[in-house]
């Protein structure tokens, strides 16, 4: 595997290449990644919805949700939260900050569409017609939209520190099992910790609305949850990337 210093050097080039991708490639990669993260969230919900023990439910979710990030990495998807690491490329002077912002905006929109489409398909396909599962989806959406702004930001920060650590560990590996394990461990920790991931919430809250969450509005979803969680994810991901760069940059960087 790559050591941290080698990762910083390698990701400087990887992130720069991401900023040069076409709008279409970034958007479609974002749709793909949003779909996979939502699929991990769907599997986690189905696995945990009937468990009354909170610890066991969190543990089961933590075992299933990371499959989404593993698929994103192995298929070359573009994930907003992981792409916060492009800050390393900016600090390495291999990418412009404006290009990083362009990447994040396009990928964010693609992630939203991919996650939302899976929520729509799952609802239309009857995946959440079972009463207990529908109630779980509703309760999840209500709890997420009930978070105070500041708490949602903090949970978003904690989440993306671990997501970006998962991306880093995965990209450091040189084998497929290593890449899967690298993504799995940090992401399972964020799920077990109950932290907030904006792309996952692009699935969790719409599916709750489709399942009948009358206490939740689209305004509460977009402004009450998605805005603070996205802000927290940005702070956590870029802060992590900056810290890794500071710790492991080359002397002339």
């Amino acid at each position: 595997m790559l050591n941290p210093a080698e990762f910083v050097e390698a990701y400087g080039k990887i992130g720069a290449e991401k900023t040069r991708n076409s709008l279409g490639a970034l958007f479609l990669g974002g749709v793909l990644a949003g779909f996979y993260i939502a699929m991990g969230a769907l599997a986690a919900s189905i696995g945990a919805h009937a468990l009354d023990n909170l610890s066991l439910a969190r543990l089961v979710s933590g075992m299933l949700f990371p499959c989404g990030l593993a698929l994103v990495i192995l298929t070359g998807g573009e994930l907003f939260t992981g792409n916060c690491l492009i800050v390393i490329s900016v600090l390495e002077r291999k990418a412009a900050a404006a290009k990083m912002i362009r990447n994040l905006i396009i990928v964010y929109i693609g992630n939203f569409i991919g996650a939302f489409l899976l929520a729509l398909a799952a609802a239309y396909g009857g995946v959440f017609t079972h009463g207990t599962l529908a109630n779980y989806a509703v309760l999840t959406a209500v709890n997420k939209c009930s978070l105070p702004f500041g708490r949602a930001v903090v949970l978003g920060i904690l989440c993306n520190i671990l997501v970006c650590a998962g991306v880093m560990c995965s990209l450091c590996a040189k084998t497929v099992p290593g890449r899967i394990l690298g993504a799995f461990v940090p992401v399972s920790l964020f799920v077990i910790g109950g932290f907030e991931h904006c792309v996952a919430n692009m699935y969790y809250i719409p599916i709750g609305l489709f399942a009948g969450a009358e206490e939740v509005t689209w305004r509460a979803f977009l402004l009450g949850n998605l805005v603070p969680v996205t802000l927290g994810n940005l702070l956590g991901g870029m802060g992590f990337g900056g810290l890794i760069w500071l710790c492991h940059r080359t002397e002339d960087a």
Side-chain angles (χ1 to χ4, degrees), residues 134-135 137-143 145 204-218:
N135 290 339
V138 168
L139 183 60
T140 299
V142 170
N143 288 341
C145 288
Y204 277 125
I205 300 175
I207 196 64
L209 285 162
F210 295 146
E214 297 178 357
E215 308 93 325
V216 177
T217 64
W218 290 101

Side-chain angles (χ1 to χ4, degrees), residues 63-84:
M63 298 298 105
L64 295 172
F65 183 91
C67 297
L69 180 60
L71 286 170
V72 171
I73 291 171
L74 294 178
T75 61
E78 295 283 344
L79 183 64
F80 170 82
T81 45
N83 282 10
C84 289

Side-chain angles (χ1 to χ4, degrees), residues 1-249:
M1 62 176 288
L2 301 178
N3 64 40
E6 290 170 333
F7 167 78
V8 168
E9 182 179 0
Y11 196 87
K13 299 174 183 177
I14 293 170
E17 290 174 2
K18 286 178 176 289
T19 65
R20 291 192 289 267
N21 285 342
S22 68
L23 186 152
L26 289 173
F27 175 74
L28 292 175
V31 172
L32 182 67
F35 175 86
Y36 282 140
I37 293 298
M39 186 60 71
L42 185 153
S45 294
I46 292 174
H49 80 279
L51 300 174
D52 294 327
N53 184 291
L54 177 61
S55 297
L56 183 58
R58 289 275 185 90
L59 184 61
V60 170
S61 294
M63 298 298 105
L64 295 172
F65 183 91
C67 297
L69 180 60
L71 286 170
V72 171
I73 291 171
L74 294 178
T75 61
E78 295 283 344
L79 183 64
F80 170 82
T81 45
N83 282 10
C84 289
L85 285 174
I86 295 174
V87 72
I88 293 174
S89 305
V90 175
L91 293 170
E92 286 279 291
R93 302 189 194 91
K94 293 177 180 175
K99 292 287 189 179
M100 175 183 69
I101 294 169
R102 168 186 175 271
N103 174 285
L104 292 175
I105 291 172
I106 296 169
V107 169
Y108 189 88
I109 294 170
N111 289 168
F112 189 102
I113 291 174
F116 185 84
L117 285 176
L118 180 61
L120 193 63
Y124 182 77
V127 175
F128 284 80
T129 53
H130 186 278
T132 307
L133 187 54
N135 290 339
Y136 184 87
V138 168
L139 183 60
T140 299
V142 170
N143 288 341
K144 287 181 176 293
C145 288
S146 300
L147 286 171
F149 191 97
R151 188 179 299 175
V153 171
V154 171
L155 292 175
I157 291 171
L158 295 172
C159 167
N160 214 26
I161 290 172
L162 290 168
V163 170
C164 287
V167 172
M168 175 181 171
C169 293
S170 182
L171 294 179
C172 281
K174 297 182 179 180
T175 65
V176 171
R179 290 206 162 188
I180 293 172
L181 184 62
F184 180 89
V185 175
V187 173
S188 68
L189 294 179
F190 111 62
V191 176
I192 292 170
F195 305 149
E196 292 288 312
H197 188 271
C198 64
V199 180
N201 289 357
M202 294 169 185
Y203 164 81
Y204 277 125
I205 300 175
I207 196 64
L209 285 162
F210 295 146
E214 297 178 357
E215 308 93 325
V216 177
T217 64
W218 290 101
R219 178 182 176 85
F221 162 42
L222 296 172
L223 299 181
N225 180 273
L226 207 54
V227 168
V229 171
T230 299
L231 176 60
N233 289 165
L234 279 169
L235 292 172
M238 291 192 176
F240 175 83
L243 179 62
I244 292 297
W245 180 80
L246 284 171
C247 291
H248 303 291
R249 72 188 188 279

